[in-house]
Amino acid sequence: MDNRPIGVFDSGLGGLTVLKEIKNLLPRESIVYFGDSGRAPYGSKSKETVVKYTFQDIRFLLNQDIKMIVIACNTASACSLDQVKHNFDIPIVEVVGPGAATAVRETVNKKIGVIGTVATVTSGVYEKAILRLDPEVEIHQKACPLFVPLVEEGWWENDIAFRIAEEYLLPLKEKNIDTLVLGCTHYPLLYNTISKVMGDGVKLVSSALEVAKVVKEMINESNLERDEKIEPVYRYYTSDSVYKFESLGNSILNHEIHSAEKIDIERY
């Protein structure tokens, strides 16, 4: 039994989609969340910068006495995972593997689309993960760099979001894909907009639920379960506006966040 919290971080608000699924599957677990909105998006940064940010995020969470790290950021997973595992002795769950596995399981015509940040798409991490599972899959990728700023602004379903989504996604639709991986944890917040552009024939894959399943499995296998008699605690931190974090975070989680704190992540 381990009563310490799970640590979750993302470049901003998108990782709350992962946190939400973890809460649903593991309602007794405490969680500490850090959203680095002040330095978002990670996807337009160099690999070296993303690695630096990732290490700072993890050092902050370790300072909160956590028992596990969930990298709820595709860009951080794509750019930093090997170095993170080499440098930190703590259970780590990332988002790429679960998303790739779901896509391979869902596709029928073996034509899979992947959208993500510039850094994630350039890294080829999803392509490698998918082809390891099924070498016969045809993969079409597209970077969608404006999606993260749209989400951070709360513009999830307006005309601007739809027009930008059309610009990015219509070329993928023409490839006759039947499955589209939302390769950034911000993108599920644009689910309705993306679905409207792609149509009913394309399955959208978000890794959030699959990541939560991996977290639950790892906790059970490692005997890290929390004492069920103790109420869970949720703590939220951001590197930007607390008001904005709480306002949009409430919309994502469907419950009130009153205790978010702003931190200086550069101290870590």
Side-chain angles (χ1 to χ4, degrees):
M1 195 167 290
D2 191 328
N3 292 328
R4 293 177 299 166
I6 298 167
V8 182
F9 77 89
D10 180 47
S11 62
L13 292 159
L16 290 174
T17 59
V18 176
L19 181 148
K20 185 176 182 179
E21 296 295 347
I22 294 173
K23 279 186 64 178
N24 288 339
L25 277 187
L26 296 163
R28 304 305 301 176
E29 293 292 337
S30 291
I31 303 174
V32 177
Y33 181 87
F34 172 62
D36 196 7
S37 295
R39 302 189 296 191
Y42 282 11
S44 60
K45 309 292 193 299
S46 69
K47 180 177 180 178
E48 291 75 20
T49 297
V50 174
V51 171
K52 172 190 171 184
Y53 288 179
T54 301
F55 274 50
Q56 289 177 318
D57 299 345
I58 291 175
R59 284 195 289 265
F60 166 71
L61 287 175
L62 289 174
N63 223 36
Q64 308 304 308
D65 191 29
I66 56 170
K67 62 185 175 184
M68 172 186 291
I69 289 281
V70 179
I71 306 177
C73 174
N74 285 266
T75 300
S77 296
C79 295
S80 312
L81 185 60
D82 290 341
Q83 294 183 59
V84 165
K85 287 187 172 180
H86 181 73
N87 284 274
F88 297 99
D89 185 21
I90 187 171
I92 296 169
V93 178
E94 51 85 33
V95 291
V96 174
T102 303
V104 170
R105 188 168 64 245
E106 292 290 342
T107 186
V108 176
N109 69 3
K110 292 186 180 289
K111 293 183 180 181
I112 296 175
V114 177
I115 55 175
T117 65
V118 172
T120 298
V121 170
T122 302
S123 74
V125 65
Y126 268 103
E127 184 175 20
K128 293 171 188 172
I130 290 170
L131 291 178
R132 274 198 300 268
L133 296 169
D134 188 345
E136 296 181 359
V137 168
E138 183 180 307
I139 302 169
H140 301 278
Q141 299 191 86
K142 179 70 176 178
C144 304
L146 293 179
F147 276 2
V148 170
L150 282 174
V151 168
E152 293 285 320
E153 196 60 38
W155 293 357
W156 304 344
E157 296 185 45
N158 62 15
D159 288 341
I160 295 173
F162 181 76
R163 290 175 184 176
I164 291 173
E166 275 193 319
E167 187 70 25
Y168 285 146
L169 301 176
L170 288 181
L172 285 179
K173 190 173 181 179
E174 292 173 358
K175 299 294 185 181
N176 196 34
I177 62 171
D178 71 349
T179 306
L180 180 63
V181 178
L182 308 184
C184 174
T185 51
H186 283 74
Y187 293 2
L189 296 168
L190 294 166
Y191 189 100
N192 290 339
T193 296
I194 293 170
S195 181
K196 190 175 178 182
V197 173
M198 297 305 296
D200 295 336
V202 177
K203 169 76 173 180
L204 304 187
V205 172
S206 167
S207 58
L209 176 58
E210 302 306 315
V211 169
K213 291 177 181 176
V214 173
V215 171
K216 183 176 182 178
E217 182 180 347
M218 186 176 290
I219 282 179
N220 290 339
E221 289 180 352
S222 303
N223 296 317
L224 295 175
E225 299 95 336
R226 194 166 187 270
D227 187 344
E228 293 186 359
K229 300 186 186 72
I230 304 174
E231 284 296 312
V233 176
Y234 305 102
R235 303 201 306 274
Y236 302 94
Y237 298 90
T238 178
S239 57
D240 199 21
S241 164
V242 168
Y243 170 78
K244 187 174 180 180
F245 181 92
E246 290 182 343
S247 177
L248 293 176
N250 291 341
S251 300
I252 297 168
L253 298 175
N254 298 321
H255 71 76
E256 294 293 314
I257 299 174
H258 298 294
S259 58
E261 295 181 36
K262 182 178 179 180
I263 65 159
D264 179 8
I265 192 61
E266 293 291 353
R267 291 176 46 212
Y268 300 87

